[in-house]
Amino acid sequence: MYADKKPDKVDPHELRLSKWVNCSLSNEPLTQPCVIDRLGNMFNKKALVEALIGKKLPKEFRYIKGLKDMIDIQLEVVPGEGEGEGEGNAPFQCLVPGLEFNGKYKFFALQNCGHVLSAKALKEVKSSECLVCYKEFEECDKIVINGSEEEVAVLRERMEEERSKMKEKKMKKLKNGEAGANGEELSGQGVEVSQLSGKKHGIVDVKGVDNVVGKVKGNGKVENVKDKEAKFQGDV
């Protein structure tokens, strides 16, 4: 009898490298424009936007609701490599010390400007300015790319806190008779409108925005019900 063929061993180097040079959604080579989500996963922007429009995001990425949940990033191409190419080598690098973007080193994306820098560069050149564009950033602007479970847990907690604050802020606006415009989230009664809605992003599909705190008029403005009631009582 023939011996059973053993499955090919997975090269750990190739497996690690794939996570750093391929889109987390399509698994195709990263090509500009690229984006990162709030948990440090990288995507080709086109693939992610198309999945959002078609409502085809896998369960593990359903926390991504719209454009507000993705950050444009700038990846520095290694001279002579070209995007998405290279024979077993990383096509990207940190601009400052020249460290390869291959998973051996920790990298951060700065969400206020989108530049990607190695932890080593940020440690050696202690500054509150981006080392590429010199734009000011804070510690909370740093998003670790492909972080450990612990690092992702911290990012997830930060993301939930930011969403909770935004929810409270929008609820206050609604109570004051203001409505979100251009497809903002209206979370007062669990209603959410994708940030991708609107002609600007090629999507005209806004549904379910009829139950918010207050009454929605035909012109899209929220009429404050409490103010009306108070006025009516005053007239009586």
Side-chain angles (χ1 to χ4, degrees), residues 31-34 58 64 70 105 128 139 160 166 179 187 194 196 207 228 235:
T31 53
Q32 297 288 4
C34 299
I64 302 174
M70 57 181 90
Y105 313 99
S128 59
E139 190 66 24
E160 295 300 333
M166 287 298 294
S187 311
S194 172
L196 291 170
K207 300 178 180 179
K228 280 239 170 183
D235 291 338

Side-chain angles (χ1 to χ4, degrees), residues 8 13 40 47 51 78 83 110 121 132 138 190 198:
D8 295 332
H13 171 72
V78 176
E83 294 183 19
L110 303 181
V132 180
E138 298 179 2

Side-chain angles (χ1 to χ4, degrees), residues 145-162:
I145 298 175
N146 292 327
S148 63
E149 289 185 11
E150 293 79 10
E151 289 169 328
V152 172
V154 171
L155 290 174
R156 188 180 295 277
E157 184 178 353
R158 184 198 301 177
M159 178 181 70
E160 295 300 333
E161 286 179 358
E162 289 176 355

